[in-house]
Amino acid sequence: MPGFEWMGAEEKAEINQVLDQGFIFRYNFDGVRNNVWKAREMESMLCDRMQTKHAHLVSSGTSALCTALTAMGVGAGDEVIVPTFTFVASVEAVVSLGAIPVFADVDDTLCLSAASIEQKITPRTKAINVVHMCGSMADMDAILAVAKKHKLLVLEDACQAIGGSYKGKPLGSIGDAGCFSFDSVKTITCGEGGGIITNNETIYKNAHMYSDHGHDHIGNDRGAEGHPIMGLNYRISDMNAAMGVAQLRKLDDMIEVQRRNKALLKDALAQFSEISFRRIPDPAGDQAGFLSFMLPTEARTIEINQKLKEAGVDGCFYWYVNNWHYIKNWPQIQNMTGAAKLPIHLNAHIPDYTQLDTTASDAIMSRTISMLIKLSWTEADIQQRIEKLKQVFTGV
Ligand SMILES: *Cc1c(COP(=O)(O)O)cnc(C)c1O
């Protein structure tokens, strides 16, 4: 998945253009920037690639989530359904807005289960934060049906799945809004950065205003602009966007390589009858950043995880015990601990996050290992990896 593997002359040329001719601030300064507008350029590229009317860049995937949620109208006291298996930002963004995260289970798609979402809905539920984990997608038809039935907003977090699609539609473009991360380890990187896409003009307007202190961005005199709402500073710089312009041009080539590399490894693993694979609702839309597979039992998964380590098969993640992506390993979220008193603690209806029933998620996650698919592998690297996998699974 990492775009940092393919960083070079193209990124340097874009960044140098900002240093030589442009200006680092993404807005205004028309007189000194010689018509170099890298954030605008990347936003326009994102609209084309993602087939959406609007795209807006911000400083990170996390700030994209905060911005998108508030722009959609999610605020204090609203409940937002989030998955048990995700990155902490999915929860932090909700909490930062004074909204209330409500955990629903993941299924064998490694994404939210529509049935579990439906069980978690209350009169206060406002939105579903669907996270397309590890390069593939959630079961969107089922989730959209639940959302429609209960009149809920849908945010797609495609931070780990940019360039993937579902039934022909780019991930992120299907719900009310979609978010991307361009941090240093994502499929494409700006160093740090994030993006929001939407077809909804109100969401877009709220997003660009909120991420820049409420500026309405009308006219070209920043000092004379109106401020219809309060916001924050979640701006991206034109330097970061310049890198993203070069990386976004490479996205489809990256995905092609990931798909080829993943297919070779998946074919090799498919020979072992004890292995099953993550369910991918639309296999044609897999962006192939990871190969995720399941073993029959937790004990066997622990054993295989250990053997993969011993054999030097790097880039394998057993999320169930790894403190990056699973609710079970997040005491700061179970206890809702912030640096200071959080708005959520003023609310009467908070779930007891220390007593969540995650049995259904545990049954999947305790048996799942994901292997990062790299761009830089040679044919020989892949053959060697396949040999090691054979040793691990046959025990010889
Ligand atoms: C990386 C990531 C984020 C946060 O992105 P940052 O740019 O690191 O803030 C949010 N959600 C998911 C699923 C991610 O993987």
Side-chain angles (χ1 to χ4, degrees):
M1 145 159 126
F4 69 76
E5 293 178 278
W6 277 12
M7 234 158 32
E10 302 81 6
E11 285 74 9
K12 277 185 196 155
E14 292 294 333
I15 293 166
N16 281 339
Q17 205 191 344
V18 176
L19 290 174
D20 294 342
Q21 295 164 260
F23 198 69
I24 296 164
F25 197 62
R26 69 151 297 175
Y27 294 112
N28 308 96
F29 293 87
D30 298 36
V32 293
R33 67 187 315 139
N34 297 304
N35 222 18
V36 175
W37 300 94
K38 292 301 171 189
R40 282 191 194 172
E41 191 177 339
M42 189 175 171
E43 284 164 356
S44 147
M45 290 169 72
L46 270 178
C47 286
D48 287 347
R49 176 62 181 77
M50 302 304 164
Q51 301 164 32
T52 52
K53 285 197 197 124
H54 308 287
H56 180 63
L57 294 179
V58 288
S59 55
S60 70
T62 307
S63 58
L65 294 173
C66 296
T67 302
L69 285 167
T70 193
M72 288 160 64
V74 172
D78 292 331
E79 290 180 4
V80 179
I81 292 179
V82 298
T84 52
F85 172 54
T86 182
F87 178 59
V88 279
S90 311
V91 185
E92 290 168 333
V94 173
V95 173
S96 78
L97 297 170
I100 301 168
V102 173
F103 287 90
D105 283 307
V106 295
D107 59 19
D108 58 352
T109 62
L110 304 186
C111 299
L112 277 173
S113 133
S116 180
I117 292 171
E118 197 151 27
Q119 284 168 5
K120 305 291 171 154
I121 292 171
T122 75
R124 298 173 294 279
T125 311
K126 183 95 177 211
I128 308 169
N129 182 3
V130 181
V131 187
H132 299 299
M133 287 300 282
C134 303
S136 304
M137 76 295 300
D139 197 346
M140 287 306 287
D141 281 350
I143 292 172
L144 291 172
V146 173
K148 193 171 172 197
K149 182 170 157 198
H150 297 274
K151 297 194 172 59
L152 303 177
L153 293 159
V154 174
L155 175 65
E156 288 179 82
D157 176 343
C159 289
Q160 295 192 7
I162 190 169
S165 61
Y166 176 75
K167 300 193 175 172
K169 289 187 185 161
L171 298 180
S173 72
I174 304 161
D176 295 280
C179 290
F180 302 115
S181 163
F182 307 118
D183 81 22
S184 309
V185 296
K186 292 304 199 307
T187 306
I188 61 171
T189 179
C190 294
E192 296 282 2
I196 299 145
I197 56 171
T198 182
N199 284 310
N200 181 306
E201 188 166 354
T202 304
I203 295 175
Y204 169 65
K205 273 191 187 159
N206 282 337
H208 74 68
M209 292 192 294
Y210 181 77
S211 61
D212 184 25
H213 304 296
H215 274 268
D216 63 12
H217 302 125
I218 294 171
N220 58 5
D221 178 358
R222 188 165 171 83
E225 287 177 10
H227 304 85
I229 58 169
M230 282 197 285
L232 286 164
N233 173 8
Y234 287 151
R235 290 185 306 260
I236 193 164
S237 81
D238 246 30
M239 290 276 274
N240 293 91
M243 176 180 264
V245 164
Q247 287 261 299
L248 186 50
R249 283 199 198 108
K250 300 179 182 179
L251 175 63
D252 290 316
D253 289 340
M254 289 173 174
I255 290 175
E256 201 182 304
V257 172
Q258 286 181 172
R259 284 180 175 159
R260 195 181 61 214
N261 291 350
K262 176 172 172 175
L264 291 168
L265 291 163
K266 191 169 178 178
D267 284 351
L269 285 187
Q271 297 168 24
F272 304 107
S273 57
E274 65 174 333
I275 294 180
S276 57
F277 294 99
R278 166 206 194 152
R279 179 163 63 89
I280 300 180
D282 177 10
D286 181 15
Q287 66 97 280
F290 285 89
L291 170 59
S292 298
F293 54 91
M294 286 96 170
L295 290 141
T297 63
E298 180 177 351
R300 179 66 173 151
T301 315
I302 293 169
E303 186 187 350
I304 289 292
N305 185 46
Q306 186 57 33
K307 285 188 171 167
L308 288 167
K309 274 206 189 80
E310 285 163 13
V313 183
D314 62 357
C316 292
F317 299 92
Y318 182 28
W319 309 112
Y320 192 60
V321 299
N322 155 316
N323 69 10
W324 277 96
H325 286 87
Y326 196 53
I327 177 69
K328 189 170 93 70
N329 309 312
W330 290 332
Q332 77 280 25
I333 287 173
Q334 288 163 15
N335 300 309
M336 278 293 145
T337 311
K341 185 169 179 174
L342 298 170
I344 193 169
H345 292 308
L346 298 174
N347 212 291
H349 302 280
I350 335 175
D352 181 350
Y353 297 101
T354 65
Q355 301 297 320
L356 298 176
D357 176 6
T358 58
T359 315
S361 300
D362 292 350
I364 301 289
M365 297 313 301
S366 64
R367 299 185 296 107
T368 301
I369 293 175
S370 300
M371 186 190 294
L372 183 70
I373 301 298
K374 288 205 158 181
L375 299 171
S376 53
W377 284 335
T378 61
E379 296 275 316
D381 289 337
I382 293 174
Q383 285 317 316
Q384 201 180 35
R385 184 164 278 258
I386 288 172
E387 286 312 312
K388 284 181 184 169
L389 289 171
K390 281 184 183 156
Q391 284 165 24
V392 165
F393 284 97
T394 58
V396 294

